[in-house]
Amino acid sequence: MSDCILCQSSWQDNRHDFRLQPRCAGVRILTLDSKGIRSIVEISLLEKLVKEIDLNMLPLIDGFDLIMGTSTDRKLFSANPRSVRVAVTSEKDNGADKCFIANYNRPAFGDQQLDFEREDDEPKEMKKWEAALATASAPFYFCRFEKRETEKNYVDAALHSNFLVQYALDQMNRIWASPGEGLTKKPSLDNLLSVGTGQQTREVVIPVPLGIGGFKTICTTFFNNIDSDRQWLEFKRNHVTT
């Protein structure tokens, strides 16, 4: 399109491309779990997928309507087209609130699992590199990211949202809900691809000294939260029917 259909303003030499979803099409979702440096595995898996199904002429990102990641999946914001909805998770205000940082808008209704970070004032809006820092600022490794314009700070949210399928489905219902239906009439899902970084086959052994004062329970909770494979199996058991 070369001009706005609402105000008729011309974009001159800058044309804007819009992706229209076919009327009978469902939503296509890609989620990327996070496991620190092991996130490189996800890139390798996606590259092999493209090669296997011979999509060299079609960018993989064009095969999805919503892509969600966390922590080292900041690569999502590096070169994504604006027409693809992308979101990453983070924790703001010294870890007090969990939130989404996204490149899209959507209706706000019902209870939300995480705060939706979009600013009304464009100068306060998150830039791509800021969103990348906000989702990747892992405690003990990197300093928290400070957003001066909003006076908010952000840290990595992988401890509570390492497995993103349920969050992605919630966003799907909010983005593509029928007008006036709220969350009562849910959109259809065409496909869901959840990419992880491998399976934890070795039993996690908590050192005896860490069992003092209930610290063992804290360690066990930590490992359960980052075990995306266990959460995927639980999700399939509760939501997938055959």
Side-chain angles (χ1 to χ4, degrees):
M1 298 181 64
S2 58
D3 54 84
C4 178
I5 61 175
L6 298 178
C7 67
Q8 305 302 316
S9 298
S10 175
W11 291 317
Q12 299 179 356
D13 295 334
N14 297 323
R15 297 176 59 86
H16 288 245
D17 296 326
F18 296 89
R19 295 178 58 187
L20 301 180
Q21 189 177 30
R23 186 175 182 179
C24 296
V27 182
R28 303 161 299 173
I29 298 176
L30 169 65
T31 64
L32 300 172
D33 300 339
S34 176
K35 285 288 182 66
I37 191 61
R38 285 171 56 184
S39 291
I40 193 67
V41 175
E42 295 171 338
I43 299 178
S44 299
L45 288 174
L46 293 177
E47 289 177 343
K48 289 184 179 297
L49 176 63
V50 171
K51 184 177 180 180
E52 184 69 22
I53 59 180
D54 194 19
L55 290 178
N56 292 328
M57 298 299 294
L58 178 68
L60 181 65
I61 198 171
D62 287 343
F64 299 97
D65 304 298
L66 173 64
I67 304 177
M68 189 171 294
T70 189
S71 189
T72 48
D73 291 322
R74 61 188 182 276
K75 55 185 175 287
L76 292 175
F77 272 96
S78 61
N80 68 83
R82 190 71 176 185
S83 57
V84 178
R85 293 173 174 84
V86 176
V88 292
T89 59
S90 184
E91 288 186 352
K92 62 180 181 179
D93 301 331
N94 299 314
D97 296 308
K98 307 166 186 176
C99 65
F100 282 119
I101 301 172
N103 70 343
Y104 58 86
N105 292 313
R106 53 112 172 111
F109 48 76
D111 295 331
Q112 299 189 102
Q113 294 175 313
L114 284 78
D115 288 345
F116 190 73
E117 290 288 282
R118 291 305 301 265
E119 297 293 337
D120 294 330
D121 298 329
E122 187 173 349
K124 295 182 179 180
E125 187 65 282
M126 278 276 192
K127 300 178 177 63
K128 287 185 179 181
W129 66 269
E130 291 177 326
L133 288 177
T135 191
S137 298
F140 305 111
Y141 293 97
F142 303 105
C143 297
R144 64 186 184 183
F145 169 66
E146 305 276 352
K147 178 70 172 172
R148 294 182 179 178
E149 294 84 353
T150 59
E151 298 183 351
K152 298 178 182 178
N153 61 74
Y154 300 84
V155 295
D156 177 16
L159 292 185
H160 74 76
S161 57
N162 204 48
F163 178 69
L164 297 169
V165 168
Q166 198 62 59
Y167 294 119
L169 293 177
D170 177 71
Q171 287 298 292
M172 177 190 75
N173 294 332
R174 295 175 183 279
I175 296 170
W176 287 281
S178 299
E181 296 288 345
L183 290 176
T184 59
K185 187 176 181 180
K186 297 181 180 180
S188 61
L189 176 67
D190 264 7
N191 60 67
L192 167 65
L193 175 59
S194 176
V195 182
T197 60
Q199 296 179 321
Q200 179 68 41
T201 58
R202 185 175 58 184
E203 182 182 358
V204 177
V205 179
I206 308 298
V208 175
L210 296 182
I212 301 175
F215 197 72
K216 182 178 180 179
T217 303
I218 297 176
C219 292
T220 302
T221 302
F222 168 78
F223 286 113
N224 285 336
N225 284 339
I226 64 174
D227 188 353
S228 297
D229 188 58
R230 179 189 63 82
Q231 296 178 62
W232 169 251
L233 294 176
E234 182 178 345
F235 171 80
K236 287 204 303 180
R237 187 166 53 249
N238 295 332
H239 297 86
V240 179
T241 58
T242 57

